[in-house]
Amino acid sequence: MKFNTLAIHSHQEPDPTTGAVITPIYQTSTFAQEDAGVHKGYDYSRSGNPTRSVLEGVLADLEGGKHGFCFASGTGALVTLCFALFKPGDHLIVGDDVYGGTYRFLTKVFQHYGVEIDFVDMTRLDNIASAIRPNTRMIYLETPTNPLLKLADIQGILELAKNKKLITCVDNTFATPYLQTPFDFGVDIVLHSTTKYIGGHSDVVGGALILRDDTYEESIRFHQNSIGATPDPFATWLTLRGLKTLGVRMKAHCQNATALAQFLEAHPLVDDVIYPGLPSHPQHEIAKRQMHNGFGGMISIRVKGGEAEARAFMKALKVFTLAESLGGIESLVEHPARMTHLAVEKSVRETLGITDNLIRLSVGIEDLEDLQADLENALKAMSQSQTRALA
Ligand SMILES: Cc1ncc(COP(=O)(O)O)c(C=O)c1O
């Protein structure tokens, strides 16, 4: 079956007891047992729940993996991954501009457990190669990254990792399996913040780990239950409901974002437009190679000016809402330096290029004309506020 059919039908047979076409919300914490320890496969909802099992199965199928595991957030998935697969003394190589919350967990929490961590620019294979040590256990990357939309060459990284028998994990939140399937390159684990495109409606927080094969299944299952960062049945059901339209939504996100990126690139009040689908993107060739259905709905821009201009622009937007998060049907705008990446020290932000005039757009699936007019008007308002400030 192809992508949209899988999203709608995989693991989603009509309910055998009632014929319900849509998977029910099994809103129960516990399950009756016929005899002590004899049950129908479920004993307690932290360990497993039928609504969650369906979501875990569909996610695994869409990514082309073998096992799916759902969590209460993307961060819950990351914490479980780290505690399941590392021991003190191990070394982890991570992309240098990963999501601010990922950076915060790794530097402020996980590093205290004796794991050594190096943050590396994943656009350079030589950087990664020279960061590998005898105790390196995993290479963890986002591609495209958040918020600079840098791309890592998954194939190239896999060649490095395979030679040294390292685990590879790709945070596929920005691309989703509709655009990019890391298992095709031999990646071991895929992580998602399902809060974003997979849920797709900005109404539920969740996360997932998907495993290519059986290697880490037992350990992840054990830690999923032991750490307990599992989602409740209603949250899993909302995510499952959103997931059914992932393909349709991603297509619309990509169309809108491509058109807006071109519009912004030609605009005199915008200094930089970062979008993997633009030929000007430094890793555009990699994007064409590993993103098979489009380049996503995220655009980052640097407006002409500094923080004051960025604020004036964001304030003037009417259709784009100023809010954290991304990947929903509605367009959002955010200021990484003051919002999502505030947890990253200013000096680190500056080295990375998370400047005060950098703005991240999550392009929704509204009508293109309305989105473009909104950006145009806000840029005009920004330049008028500049003129007033100079007067
Ligand atoms: C790329 C990426 N990974 C992981 C996360 C963490 O996910 P959550 O917010 O669901 O914990 C986020 C959140 O913004 C993200 O953007």
Side-chain angles (χ1 to χ4, degrees):
M1 282 193 269
K2 293 191 152 176
F3 194 91
N4 291 322
T5 318
L6 276 178
I8 293 166
H9 291 292
S10 151
H11 298 267
Q12 297 166 84
E13 292 297 314
D15 183 52
T17 48
T18 62
V21 169
I22 295 298
T23 306
I25 308 170
Y26 286 90
Q27 193 68 45
T28 182
S29 59
T30 190
F31 299 82
Q33 306 199 6
E34 289 154 39
D35 200 350
V38 180
H39 51 74
K40 297 182 166 63
Y42 296 96
D43 57 2
Y44 186 58
S45 274
R46 169 165 37 73
S47 321
N49 175 283
T51 314
R52 191 174 96 205
S53 299
V54 172
L55 179 61
E56 292 177 334
V58 191
L59 284 172
D61 285 351
L62 291 178
E63 285 286 0
K66 183 138 188 220
H67 303 283
F69 296 91
C70 287
F71 298 89
S73 65
T75 305
L78 173 72
V79 170
T80 306
L81 172 84
C82 287
F83 280 103
L85 299 186
F86 287 85
K87 59 180 185 340
D90 284 343
H91 175 235
L92 166 65
I93 299 176
V94 187
D96 63 359
D97 69 338
V98 284
Y99 164 62
T102 297
Y103 178 84
R104 178 176 51 211
F105 168 71
L106 293 174
T107 54
K108 304 264 162 46
V109 180
F110 197 48
Q111 230 159 10
H112 298 156
Y113 290 83
V115 171
E116 298 160 21
I117 306 175
D118 269 327
F119 292 89
V120 168
D121 178 356
M122 292 277 169
T123 62
R124 301 262 315 267
L125 288 176
D126 54 339
N127 280 352
I128 304 168
S130 52
I132 296 174
R133 306 184 202 161
N135 59 338
T136 304
R137 174 123 171 104
M138 180 188 285
I139 302 180
Y140 180 96
L141 58 130
E142 291 176 11
T143 181
T145 61
N146 177 5
L148 293 168
L149 305 173
K150 294 198 288 189
L151 267 82
D153 173 358
I154 303 178
Q155 177 90 55
I157 291 174
L158 254 292
E159 273 155 32
L160 289 176
K162 265 194 195 138
N163 284 340
K164 306 272 182 186
K165 297 196 167 36
L166 306 181
I167 305 170
T168 43
C169 178
V170 171
D171 179 334
N172 207 24
T173 299
F174 270 37
T176 82
Y178 184 73
L179 303 181
Q180 175 173 281
T181 37
F183 293 141
D184 293 348
F185 302 92
V187 163
D188 298 298
I189 302 169
V190 164
L191 180 144
H192 277 286
S193 167
T194 57
T195 316
K196 311 298 176 340
Y197 289 105
I198 291 199
H201 295 73
S202 302
D203 53 10
V204 60
V205 173
L209 291 174
I210 299 124
L211 310 182
R212 192 191 64 218
D213 58 28
D214 296 331
T215 316
Y216 306 109
E217 191 241 337
E218 205 181 314
S219 179
I220 298 289
R221 194 175 299 288
F222 175 80
H223 285 82
Q224 180 193 38
N225 189 37
S226 301
I227 292 172
T230 48
D232 73 271
F234 185 49
T236 21
W237 185 86
L238 275 175
T239 307
L240 182 63
R241 175 165 127 140
L243 180 59
K244 289 173 199 284
T245 54
L246 179 64
V248 185
R249 286 185 284 108
M250 287 314 289
K251 209 167 166 179
H253 283 294
C254 291
Q255 275 168 0
N256 276 353
T258 301
L260 292 181
Q262 286 163 353
F263 160 75
L264 289 164
E265 196 169 44
H267 202 289
L269 294 173
V270 179
D271 270 348
D272 279 325
V273 179
I274 310 169
Y275 183 65
L278 290 176
S280 58
H281 189 285
Q283 293 98 35
H284 180 59
E285 290 308 313
I286 297 178
K288 284 201 290 190
R289 226 170 37 230
Q290 66 192 29
M291 299 180 78
H292 46 247
N293 258 333
F295 302 102
M298 301 302 297
I299 305 175
S300 288
I301 60 172
R302 290 195 181 86
V303 290
K304 222 172 236 336
E307 186 172 339
E309 284 73 21
R311 282 178 186 272
F313 168 72
M314 293 186 295
K315 217 166 175 185
L317 287 165
K318 294 207 157 46
V319 183
F320 282 80
T321 304
L322 179 64
E324 300 208 359
S325 203
L326 59 110
I329 41 162
E330 74 296 315
S331 292
L332 300 178
V333 60
E334 73 106 6
H335 189 247
R338 293 266 163 218
M339 295 166 68
T340 47
H341 289 67
L342 192 60
V344 180
E345 299 81 2
K346 188 170 169 61
S347 58
V348 178
R349 283 202 307 265
E350 278 168 3
T351 318
L352 292 174
I354 305 177
T355 51
D356 288 345
N357 64 344
L358 182 81
I359 291 165
R360 191 187 74 184
L361 301 170
S362 172
V363 177
I365 62 170
E366 302 95 334
D367 290 304
L368 177 62
E369 295 75 10
D370 294 327
L371 296 178
Q372 185 164 321
D374 198 34
L375 293 173
E376 171 95 75
N377 291 338
L379 285 166
K380 216 179 280 167
M382 176 187 95
S383 95
Q384 283 160 357
S385 78
Q386 257 168 347
T387 318
R388 273 198 304 277
L390 290 172

